Amino acid sequence: AIIGGEGNGGIIYPELHYGRDALVGIALFLTHLAKEKKTISELKKTYPEYYISKNKIELQAGMDIDNLLKQVEEKYQDQPYSTIDGLKIEFGKEWVHLRRSNTEPIIRIYSESSSEAAATALAEKLIADMKVILSL
């Protein structure tokens, strides 16, 4: 990829180095802003608006997380999806990403949509699906 990043602000710009670097993200943004000769609010208006909802499910000892994600994948097999890093499912212009944390006993559920309410509703839908599968 030309550039990568995470929702926490860490940017990975391989042309410079392969580590996360929020300052590189700031420098790239300011460079773009200067080249466009627009204010931040003017520039923002040129992009579509998306909202992210960040949620999680606490894991219990003995839960078969691989099976859980496989069952969710099967439920939404008709939707475009990726299993590169957890399970990301696309719903038109919305998406949800289910990913086991590497640092905590949780599954992170990130969703994105054109409104905060829609992003939250999408996350809640997948959380409900997982709770049914887990019989919680």
Side-chain angles (χ1 to χ4, degrees), residues 1-128:
I2 295 171
I3 190 170
E6 296 183 352
N8 64 8
I11 297 295
I12 302 163
Y13 188 51
E15 188 174 313
L16 184 60
H17 64 88
Y18 287 101
R20 281 190 330 189
D21 192 334
L23 294 176
V24 167
I26 292 168
L28 290 170
F29 173 74
L30 291 174
T31 299
H32 180 62
L33 191 64
K35 286 181 179 179
E36 292 294 317
K37 298 183 182 347
K38 294 181 179 179
T39 66
I40 293 172
S41 59
E42 290 170 335
L43 187 60
K44 183 178 181 268
K45 288 178 186 175
T46 67
Y47 298 109
E49 289 195 30
Y50 285 99
Y51 298 84
I52 194 163
S53 178
K54 296 181 181 183
N55 301 273
K56 63 184 174 183
I57 290 181
E58 302 283 336
L59 300 176
Q60 306 301 318
M63 282 184 173
D64 186 347
I65 305 311
D66 293 331
N67 183 52
L68 170 63
L69 294 177
K70 188 68 177 163
Q71 286 188 53
V72 174
E73 177 185 334
E74 289 171 4
K75 178 176 175 120
Y76 292 101
Q77 65 185 343
D78 293 335
Q79 299 297 128
Y81 69 90
S82 170
T83 58
I84 292 173
D85 180 22
L87 175 61
K88 181 179 179 185
I89 308 167
E90 297 177 29
F91 299 91
K93 293 185 177 185
E94 302 178 311
W95 57 260
V96 65
H97 185 203
L98 313 172
R99 183 178 180 275
R100 181 192 324 224
S101 171
N102 291 325
T103 58
E104 301 174 76
I106 61 172
I107 294 178
R108 297 187 189 283
I109 300 108
Y110 294 158
S111 56
E112 185 177 87
S113 188
S114 58
S115 74
E116 188 174 353
T120 299
L122 182 58
E124 288 173 350
K125 175 182 175 184
L126 271 289
I127 290 169

